[in-house]
Amino acid sequence: LEAKQLEASNNEEFEAAEAMEAELELARARVAKAAERLSTLDTQLLRQEEALVAQCRKTVHHLGGTICTLRSCRDDEVSELRRSVESEGERVASVEERLGVETERLEVELRRLSEDQAQLDEQARDVEGQIDAAVADETA
């Protein structure tokens, strides 16, 4: 539009150039208003970005603290589990040792009882033999 106005002025078409001037002023006003609105929007966007960045930093800081807390809790739990496993391992070893001792005792007791049973069986045979002999003597 400015180029057409300049051409009209150069061709000495001043009325046409003046008519274009009003249109140019209106267009310039619209451009100025749009530039002002764009500047306002840029400022608002910048403020929103700054607020968002600040909130993100705050969230990251908070989550970092949460992560540290969780890691600490996890480490404590792992330590407790390790202690528990060690303690349980010691308890199992103690029980296994007692079971071994008790098994040996029972094996000794079983051998003794087997020997006693063998002696009793022998005594029973001797008594049966004596009874048989006594019955045979009486019947003879």
Side-chain angles (χ1 to χ4, degrees):
L1 201 58
E2 285 180 353
K4 284 184 181 180
Q5 183 188 30
L6 184 60
E7 185 180 325
S9 291
N10 287 340
N11 292 336
E12 295 185 9
E13 296 173 4
F14 299 114
E15 286 181 17
E18 267 186 52
M20 287 183 208
E21 181 64 30
E23 281 184 59
L24 276 172
E25 287 298 318
L26 185 60
R28 286 181 187 131
R30 283 193 297 244
V31 167
K33 189 172 184 175
E36 183 181 316
R37 178 74 178 132
L38 183 60
S39 176
T40 301
L41 290 174
D42 280 344
T43 302
Q44 288 175 350
L45 180 61
L46 182 62
R47 285 185 188 137
Q48 288 175 354
E49 286 175 348
E50 289 171 351
L52 186 59
V53 166
Q55 184 61 40
C56 286
R57 285 187 178 135
K58 189 176 180 181
T59 300
V60 166
H61 179 72
H62 173 73
L63 291 176
T66 301
I67 288 170
C68 288
T69 300
L70 290 174
R71 282 183 181 161
S72 177
C73 289
R74 180 205 59 201
D75 292 347
D76 291 347
E77 288 294 322
V78 167
S79 295
E80 181 61 31
L81 283 172
R82 285 185 178 146
R83 283 191 296 273
S84 177
V85 165
E86 287 174 15
S87 174
E88 194 63 24
E90 291 169 1
R91 191 183 70 75
V92 166
S94 174
V95 167
E96 285 176 345
E97 183 179 335
R98 286 191 310 238
L99 284 174
V101 168
E102 186 64 18
T103 299
E104 287 177 23
R105 187 190 68 74
L106 289 174
E107 287 172 353
V108 168
E109 185 69 20
L110 182 61
R111 279 193 299 272
R112 188 184 64 72
L113 288 173
S114 294
E115 291 169 1
D116 289 349
Q117 182 67 43
Q119 287 176 354
L120 288 173
D121 288 346
E122 189 177 322
Q123 288 174 358
R125 281 191 296 272
D126 287 344
V127 169
E128 285 175 2
Q130 290 173 0
I131 291 173
D132 287 344
V135 170
D137 285 343
E138 279 187 20
T139 55

